[in-house]
Amino acid sequence: MSQKINGLSFVASREPINQQHITPVLKTNSNYIALMPYGIIRDKAIPKIEFNTKGEWFGETENGLLQYANEFQKSGIHIMIKPHIWLRRGVFTGNLKPNTKEGWKLLESSYRKYILTYAKAAEQLKAGLLCIGTELKEFVLNRPNYWSSLIKEIRSIYSGKLTYAVNWDEYKRFSLWGELDFIGIDAYFPLSASKTPTILELEESWDIHK
């Protein structure tokens, strides 16, 4: 992948999209769009991921993903598929850590079904990138062998490039970078304690992280 990726995240809606929704993206000179099909865990004590349900918005489902991607591809925009898990009641996904063997089994089996569904969709769409997870710190730290096996299975289905989106405070502890194609960091680094920092102060703070 030699070209620079200028990407945007495209938030899903209740309805299919058309050129009216794509034109503003083209005006930003973006050449990639991240599309985010959602999986939902209703109760962290029963960590089963539900997806493609009637309760989700169209754009958050597999059919919605395919429709959105096809419309963007007609305009020459490339696709990254970036599945997200949503935990009800405001629980942060990075803290998702079952406390029983049964809980881990349920999480792992449902996540496998979830991510392989979108690996197949990514291959069908010839998407340039697939993000295999987003901010799942405890899940990855506690089950590295599961993730290594899952990456191999994803690669047997999907021929494009893989990344993973770590939260800004976990990238040093993430053990799977060597098994992926790109490092992915959700880079919400604290840059200043000042209420109104100067541009120079922000630039200097960014230099550290870059």
Side-chain angles (χ1 to χ4, degrees):
M1 188 174 293
S2 59
Q3 70 178 127
K4 181 177 180 180
I5 295 173
N6 294 317
L8 291 175
S9 292
F10 192 81
V11 178
S13 74
R14 294 181 176 89
E15 306 294 339
I17 63 168
N18 55 44
Q19 192 63 39
Q20 173 187 350
H21 308 99
I22 294 170
T23 298
V25 174
L26 296 174
K27 288 180 178 179
T28 69
N29 293 319
S30 294
N31 57 13
Y32 257 84
I33 279 291
L35 299 176
M36 296 164 287
Y38 269 83
I40 299 169
I41 295 178
R42 299 183 184 278
D43 185 345
K44 68 176 182 178
I46 309 173
K48 180 182 179 181
I49 299 165
E50 301 175 22
F51 62 100
N52 281 333
T53 65
K54 291 182 180 179
E56 289 183 286
W57 285 5
F58 175 75
E60 297 173 343
T61 66
E62 183 179 6
N63 285 338
L65 168 75
L66 295 173
Q67 194 270 332
Y68 282 27
N70 283 324
E71 289 300 313
F72 275 110
Q73 287 174 329
K74 290 176 186 177
S75 294
I77 302 291
H78 300 284
I79 305 299
M80 177 170 78
I81 297 177
K82 188 172 183 279
H84 278 237
I85 294 177
W86 180 264
L87 274 69
R88 292 293 175 88
R89 301 181 181 88
V91 179
F92 175 48
T93 54
N95 297 331
L96 180 61
K97 181 182 177 182
N99 53 20
T100 65
K101 290 182 178 179
E102 292 77 15
W104 277 115
K105 184 177 180 180
L106 183 59
L107 175 59
E108 290 177 347
S109 62
S110 61
Y111 194 86
R112 176 181 175 274
K113 183 178 180 182
Y114 172 58
I115 201 68
L116 292 183
T117 294
Y118 290 110
K120 292 173 184 175
E123 182 65 16
Q124 177 183 337
L125 291 164
K126 303 301 179 187
L129 285 166
L130 172 64
C131 182
I132 66 169
T134 300
E135 298 177 6
L136 298 169
K137 178 176 68 175
E138 293 295 340
F139 191 177
V140 175
L141 282 174
N142 285 275
R143 314 302 275 194
N145 292 336
Y146 164 84
W147 280 91
S148 289
S149 177
L150 184 62
I151 290 168
K152 291 183 177 69
E153 193 168 6
I154 291 168
R155 287 199 185 278
S156 74
I157 294 170
Y158 171 65
S159 58
K161 301 296 186 181
L162 299 182
T163 188
Y164 173 94
V166 298
N167 200 35
W168 64 271
D169 59 352
E170 64 174 296
Y171 70 93
K172 291 181 180 179
R173 292 176 289 176
F174 186 79
S175 61
L176 303 170
W177 291 131
E179 300 174 45
L180 302 173
D181 300 298
F182 295 103
I183 292 171
I185 300 175
D186 292 346
Y188 306 118
F189 297 104
L191 299 179
S192 173
S194 172
K195 185 176 181 179
T196 55
T198 66
I199 292 175
L200 179 60
E201 182 182 352
L202 295 176
E203 289 176 342
E204 290 176 345
S205 295
W206 264 118
D207 283 340
I208 297 169
H209 303 300
K210 287 162 63 180

